C-alpha cells in the first residue's frame, strides 16, 4: 500500500548490449517482492564498475539492465516482511544486492564471497532510474550529515575503499 | 597531474605518478585502477612485510614479475564486494572522520555523457545522476 501518489512509469537508462549506449526508456515501476523495498531514487553515483558492466568486462550480466549501485533514495513502498524500514526513510543501496544466507560464507560473515550473490546494477536493476527495488537486508540508513548527492559515493567508492584499507592491516 | 593535485588538496603528504618511487618504502599499497602492471610496481614500492591490496572488480592481466618482489613476506591480496558489517561500520565512521566527497551532478537522462566524462577523467570526484523527479 502506498501512502503517496505513485506514478505508473519511470525514467530509466538501460543497457541492452555491452559496448552500446544506454537507452532512455519509460518503464513500469517495479513492485517490491517479499523482503524488498521500493525506493524512489534521489541520486545515484557513477562507479568505475559501471564502466566494466557497460564495456562487457564482467561475466553473466542480466540484460537488459539498469546500471547503478551507489543509490540514495526514499522508501516508497514496502514488500511483505521488509519492515526494517518505513515509508519515507532515507536509505542507501550498495553493490551487494542479495546473498543466499545459508552457504559457508554467508554463515561466517563473509557473504561478500557467496557463490550465489547477486549485485545491484549488474544482475539486479539499479539506480539509473526513478525507482529501484532492493532487498531490505542490504539497504542501509544514510548518516544525516550528508545530503543525498554527497552521500552516493560512500556506497561503493567509500565502502570498498574502507574494506580495502581494512584488509591492508595495521601496517 | 590533476589527480595528484586533487590528492594533495585532500591532505596527501605525497602524490606521484604510478611509475615514480615513493619517498620511502610503504607499509601498504591499495590499487583501485584496473591496470595489472600496477601490481609489480606496488610490490616494488612496499617494504618487507608490507601489503598490496587490489580493490577493483576487474583488472588487466598482471605481467610476470621476479619472485624477489613478493619475497620478504610481502602480501598480495584482493578485495571482493562488501559485507553488511562493512557498510554498517563505514557509514557510522564516515561522518566522524569526516569523509568528504566531491561530486558533479548530471541529469539522469545524461547518463551516457556522465559515463564518457568519467571515462575520460574530465573531472575529479564522482559523477552523480539525479532523476528529473528528484532534481
Amino acid at each position: 500500500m502506498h501512502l503517496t501518489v505513485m506514478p505508473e512509469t519511470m525514467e530509466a537508462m538501460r543497457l541492452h548490449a555491452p559496448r552500446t549506449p544506454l537507452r532512455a526508456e519509460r518503464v513500469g515501476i517495479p513492485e517490491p517482492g517479499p523482503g524488498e523495498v521500493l525506493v524512489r531514487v534521489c541520486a545515484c553515483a557513477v562507479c568505475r564498475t559501471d564502466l566494466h558492466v557497460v564495456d562487457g568486462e564482467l561475466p553473466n550480466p542480466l540484460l537488459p539492465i539498469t546500471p547503478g549501485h551507489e543509490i540514495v533514495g526514499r522508501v516508497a513502498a514496502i514488500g511483505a516482511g521488509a519492515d526494517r524500514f518505513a515509508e519515507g526513510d532515507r536509505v542507501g543501496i550498495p553493490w551487494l544486492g542479495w546473498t543466499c544466507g545459508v552457504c559457508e560464507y554467508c554463515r561466517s560473515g563473509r557473504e561478500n564471497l557467496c557463490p550465489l550473490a547477486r549485485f545491484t546494477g549488474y544482475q539486479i536493476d539499479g539506480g539509473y532510474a526513478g525507482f529501484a527495488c532492493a532487498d531490505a537486508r542490504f539497504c542501509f540508513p544514510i548518516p544525516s550529515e550528508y545530503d543525498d548527492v554527497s552521500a552516493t559515493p560512500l556506497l561503493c567508492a567509500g565502502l570498498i575503499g574502507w574494506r580495502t584499507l581494512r584488509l591492508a592491516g595495521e601496517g | 597531474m590533476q589527480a595528484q593535485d586533487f590528492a594533495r588538496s585532500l591532505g596527501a603528504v605525497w602524490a606521484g605518478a604510478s611509475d615514480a618511487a615513493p619517498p620511502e618504502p610503504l607499509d601498504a599499497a591499495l590499487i583501485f585502477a584496473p591496470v595489472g602492471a600496477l601490481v609489480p610496481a606496488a610490490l616494488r614500492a612496499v617494504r618487507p612485510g608490507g601489503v598490496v591490496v587490489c580493490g577493483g572488480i576487474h583488472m588487466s592481466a598482471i605481467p610476470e614479475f621476479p619472485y624477489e618482489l613478493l619475497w620478504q613476506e610481502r602480501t598480495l591480496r584482493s578485495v571482493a564486494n562488501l559485507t553488511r558489517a562493512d557498510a554498517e561500520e563505514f557509514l557510522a565512521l564516515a561522518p566522524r572522520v569526516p569523509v568528504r566527497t566531491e561530486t558533479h551532478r548530471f541529469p539522469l537522462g545524461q547518463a551516457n555523457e556522465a559515463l564518457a566524462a568519467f571515462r575520460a577523467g574530465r573531472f575529479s570526484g564522482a559523477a552523480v545522476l539525479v532523476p528529473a523527479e528528484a532534481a
Side-chain angles (χ1 to χ4, degrees):
Chain A
M1 179 177 155
H2 307 305
L3 297 181
T4 52
V5 177
M6 292 284 291
E8 291 183 355
T9 62
M10 66 179 186
E11 178 186 19
M13 297 296 292
R14 310 206 80 207
L15 178 73
H16 285 254
R19 296 175 296 283
T20 63
L22 305 182
R23 291 189 209 162
E25 297 176 356
R26 290 224 59 102
V27 299
I29 293 173
E31 283 280 329
E36 292 184 339
V37 288
L38 175 69
V39 172
R40 183 188 292 265
V41 177
C42 298
C44 180
V46 173
C47 178
R48 179 164 292 281
T49 301
D50 299 343
L51 289 180
H52 295 315
V53 171
V54 168
D55 291 344
E57 292 173 327
L58 304 182
N60 306 317
L62 175 71
L63 290 172
I65 186 76
T66 304
H69 59 270
E70 298 186 283
I71 306 167
V72 172
R74 299 268 175 186
V75 174
I78 296 170
D83 44 13
R84 223 181 128 208
F85 296 106
E87 282 192 37
D89 284 356
R90 189 169 74 145
V91 296
I93 305 174
W95 170 246
L96 187 63
W98 185 89
T99 60
C100 76
V102 297
C103 72
E104 65 170 292
Y105 295 113
C106 285
R107 285 186 283 108
S108 59
R110 295 180 293 161
E111 67 224 18
N112 58 313
L113 302 178
C114 172
L116 298 178
R118 288 190 286 135
F119 302 97
T120 312
Y122 174 38
Q123 292 148 337
I124 301 167
D125 279 330
Y128 288 17
F131 291 82
C133 264
D135 186 325
R137 297 176 302 162
F138 296 90
C139 296
F140 302 94
I142 295 296
S144 60
E145 290 86 348
Y146 296 90
D147 64 36
D148 296 337
V149 168
S150 63
T152 54
L154 301 177
L155 288 155
C156 191
L159 262 173
I160 300 297
W162 167 244
R163 184 171 179 84
T164 306
L165 179 64
R166 204 161 53 72
L167 292 189
E170 293 299 317
Chain B
M1 292 305 290
Q2 184 189 355
Q4 292 175 29
D5 290 340
F6 183 51
R8 288 187 202 96
S9 76
L10 294 174
V13 297
W14 179 85
S18 56
D19 58 357
E24 58 185 280
L26 305 177
D27 298 324
L30 316 182
I31 303 176
F32 295 99
V35 181
L38 293 177
V39 171
L43 284 168
R44 196 170 274 119
V46 299
R47 63 170 173 74
V51 182
V52 174
V53 189
C54 301
I57 192 170
H58 173 79
M59 190 178 248
S60 56
I62 300 170
E64 184 179 276
F65 57 86
Y67 176 61
E68 67 188 54
L69 294 187
L70 185 62
W71 193 59
Q72 298 278 23
E73 301 195 348
R74 292 178 180 88
T75 300
L76 172 63
R77 67 175 305 171
S78 69
V79 164
N81 314 315
L82 67 139
T83 66
R84 284 171 284 181
D86 292 329
E88 283 157 9
E89 269 175 26
F90 177 68
L91 291 172
L93 180 67
R96 299 208 313 269
V97 173
V99 174
R100 301 187 311 271
T101 61
E102 180 157 321
T103 55
H104 300 264
R105 293 180 189 224
F106 289 79
L108 173 59
Q110 290 182 18
N112 287 308
E113 290 78 2
L115 285 166
F118 177 54
R119 186 192 298 278
R122 280 191 216 121
F123 52 81
S124 299
V128 179
L129 302 175
V130 179
E133 294 87 345

